[in-house]
Every structure is written in structure tokens, then in C-alpha cells.
Amino acid sequence: TQLLEQSPQFLSIQEGENLTVYCNSSSVFSSLQWYRQEPGEGPVLLVTVVTGGEVKKLKRLTFQFGDARKDSSLHITAAQPGDTGLYLCAGEVSGAGSYQLTFGKGTKLSVIP
Amino acid sequence: GAGVSQTPSNKVTEKGKYVELRCDPISGHTALYWYRQSLGQGPEFLIYFQGTGAADDSGLPNDRFFAVRPEGSVSTLKIQRTERGDSAVYLCASSLQGTYNEQFFGPGTRLTVL
């Protein structure tokens, strides 16, 4: 069983459309991060959320952490071809006593010009 | 400043051989992590160092895998008697203690075992 479920797994949209990616778990997280990964490269940190209900904005990207700190969403407004990539959510399980990150499988986004 | 660097970027080896993968973390980052990413999957945790010591090695799949960080900076992941199932991208990340565990990743080493 995957600790962090991401959906959808694949998403192909036209330039200018909006989209939302979800990250869900039954576990509570101390912090949750979103990364973007391009082929042949390591994940690049986009944002960290730590407080239940927190909303952070990064240009056209809006990140939300669920009130119970078990889920998160990433919303992209007016997607552009440069947004293409693999979006990964990762969390540090609360109280686990370890600093390892648990990753979802990722959402592969393709934005078609 | 310089990010996390990993060498080599690609490594092709034969089944049964020994390999070493190197990670140079961001200067001043006390925490260092190794992850493994298979095709179509997110990274999976292998081992975490705080300074020179392995604070959590629960993700190492078996005793063929070993990692060291003798001076608290550069780390080496060592794989003995490689198997075809070890083929994956091995990622290294580092973080600064006390920053909500924000981990910064290197570009990875793609290991192919023939």
C-alpha cells in the first residue's frame, strides 16, 4: 500500500488550462513538500507546507495543506509548456522518529502548446 | 552557491561487480540522505546521515548495500555483488537541520546492471 497516493498519475492538457493535482494519505505529516522533476534530473523543491489549512502561492501555482495534515493539493492556473514535468509530493510522517521523506509516485504533466 | 553534486552521472556495470556512488552535499548541510528511484516511481528512502553517523538505515534493502560519510560531508554509497534489480537512479539529498526537513536533491546517478 502506497503511503502517499497521488492523482491523477498522468495529465495531458492544452496550454492555458487550469489543473489540480492531489496527494492523499491516511497518515499525518509534520511537513509536506512538493517537488518538480524533469527527465535526467533530481527533484527540485517547490514549496514546503507545515500548518494544517495552510495555503501558499508561487506565481501561478497554489499549494494547500489539508486541515488534518493528511492531504495536499497543487493547483496550476493557465498552464504553460514550461510546467511540463513530474510533480512529486513528499512528507515526513509525524512522530515516526525519522527524517526520511515518503514520496508519492508522482503526476506526470504534459502541457501541449 | 553550489548545489548537491553526484558522481558519476551514469554507471554501467556487470552483474556481480562492486560499485561506489559519490555524493557531495551543499556546504554546511549536516543531514544527508540517499534515495533510489525506479522507473515510474517516486524516490524511496535508503539511509539518512546526521553528521558522520547513520541515524536511520532502515531503507537499505539488504546487506549488499552500505554507505559511509567519514568526515560529515561527502558520502559514498557502496553496492556489493550488484544484481540486475539494483538498476535505478540513486539520488542524494542534503538539508540544514531545523528547516522543516527541506531536502535539496542532486541530479542522481543512473546505475545500470547488465
Side-chain angles (χ1 to χ4, degrees):
Chain A
T1 303
Q2 194 77 16
L3 189 60
L4 271 173
E5 298 282 349
Q6 281 191 246
S7 61
Q9 194 173 350
F10 300 97
L11 190 56
S12 182
I13 62 170
Q14 293 293 129
E15 181 176 0
E17 292 184 351
N18 301 333
L19 66 114
T20 302
V21 174
Y22 299 93
C23 177
N24 295 294
S25 177
S26 57
S27 298
V28 176
F29 293 95
S30 309
S31 64
L32 192 139
Q33 292 155 22
W34 285 92
Y35 290 84
R36 187 173 130 211
Q37 186 177 26
E38 300 196 37
E41 299 182 8
V44 175
L45 181 65
L46 296 174
V47 78
T48 298
V49 286
V50 297
T51 305
E54 183 176 3
V55 177
K56 280 193 173 178
K57 292 194 174 186
L58 185 65
K59 297 183 181 177
R60 294 176 292 100
L61 278 60
T62 301
F63 305 86
Q64 186 160 8
F65 201 14
D67 291 341
R69 292 186 289 134
K70 293 182 178 180
D71 55 84
S72 182
S73 64
L74 158 59
H75 182 78
I76 301 179
T77 304
Q80 298 177 0
D83 295 329
T84 294
L86 179 68
Y87 289 82
L88 294 158
C89 67
E92 181 186 339
V93 177
S94 181
S98 171
Y99 294 98
Q100 61 176 277
L101 287 178
T102 299
F103 281 82
K105 285 188 176 183
T107 293
K108 192 169 184 180
L109 172 66
S110 296
V111 182
I112 303 164
Chain B
V4 177
S5 62
Q6 292 186 246
T7 55
S9 55
N10 281 285
K11 176 70 177 178
V12 180
T13 191
E14 293 179 343
K15 180 174 178 288
K17 298 290 188 183
Y18 168 83
V19 296
E20 289 190 351
L21 312 179
R22 175 189 166 109
C23 172
D24 204 335
I26 293 172
S27 178
H29 280 194
T30 56
L32 184 146
Y33 312 79
W34 283 98
Y35 292 83
R36 179 167 71 173
Q37 187 174 24
S38 300
L39 196 62
Q41 303 291 321
E44 293 181 305
F45 170 77
L46 295 176
I47 187 169
Y48 154 58
F49 286 90
Q50 183 59 248
T52 59
D56 182 357
D57 64 359
S58 62
L60 295 177
N62 51 60
D63 61 5
R64 295 186 297 105
F65 288 76
F66 189 71
V68 295
R69 195 186 184 199
E71 297 178 358
S73 178
V74 171
S75 176
T76 304
L77 178 65
K78 307 180 181 193
I79 310 175
Q80 298 178 322
R81 305 183 304 280
T82 51
E83 299 177 358
R84 292 197 179 89
D86 297 336
S87 296
V89 175
Y90 289 81
L91 293 164
C92 175
S94 69
S95 72
L96 193 59
Q97 195 172 11
T99 57
Y100 299 114
N101 200 17
E102 292 181 330
Q103 298 183 19
F104 297 89
F105 283 80
T109 293
R110 180 175 294 279
L111 176 65
T112 303
V113 182
L114 302 177

